[in-house]
Amino acid sequence: MKQYLVTGYDFTDEGALKRRADVRPHHLDGMKALKASGNFISAAAFLSEEGNMIGSVMMLQFETDEELEAWKQGEPYITQGVWESVDVKPIKVAVIQ
């Protein structure tokens, strides 16, 4: 499988934090589905100095770039205007034994 580092940075407008909170349950449902299908590796939220979520980082894996693009087309943080920008880079997760 191809592995990817996905970094999403939230919008910074006045409603951004509420929008994230409203969309978050749908985003987490998607993460659970990715885990069940073997596409989820790890994830975390970026925090502001005040402790508010302001972005996300995820390690995901898909068989093809097309599967990655299909995920992006359905990701609630993208479709519902939480992330202002999304950066995707190919990675290779280290296996530590």
Side-chain angles (χ1 to χ4, degrees), residues 8-11 16-17 19-28 31 44-45 53 55-58 71-72 74-86:
Y9 297 98
D10 293 6
F11 281 93
L17 190 58
R19 198 164 50 251
R20 175 182 262 271
D22 291 346
V23 175
R24 191 166 189 260
H26 306 289
H27 168 74
L28 293 177
M31 293 295 99
M53 292 185 218
S56 307
V57 62
M58 295 179 286
W71 166 77
K72 286 171 55 179
E75 167 52 51
Y77 278 179
I78 295 172
T79 64
Q80 300 300 307
V82 173
W83 288 339
E84 181 174 21
S85 65
V86 180

Side-chain angles (χ1 to χ4, degrees), residues 33-80:
L34 287 173
K35 184 173 182 177
S37 65
N39 299 106
F40 177 87
I41 300 170
S42 186
F46 294 123
L47 301 178
S48 68
E49 290 183 17
E50 297 81 23
N52 295 321
M53 292 185 218
I54 58 170
S56 307
V57 62
M58 295 179 286
M59 286 187 270
L60 305 175
Q61 58 187 8
F62 296 97
E63 289 293 335
T64 66
D65 292 338
E66 292 76 20
E67 288 179 15
L68 168 70
E69 289 303 316
W71 166 77
K72 286 171 55 179
Q73 295 299 317
E75 167 52 51
Y77 278 179
I78 295 172
T79 64
Q80 300 300 307

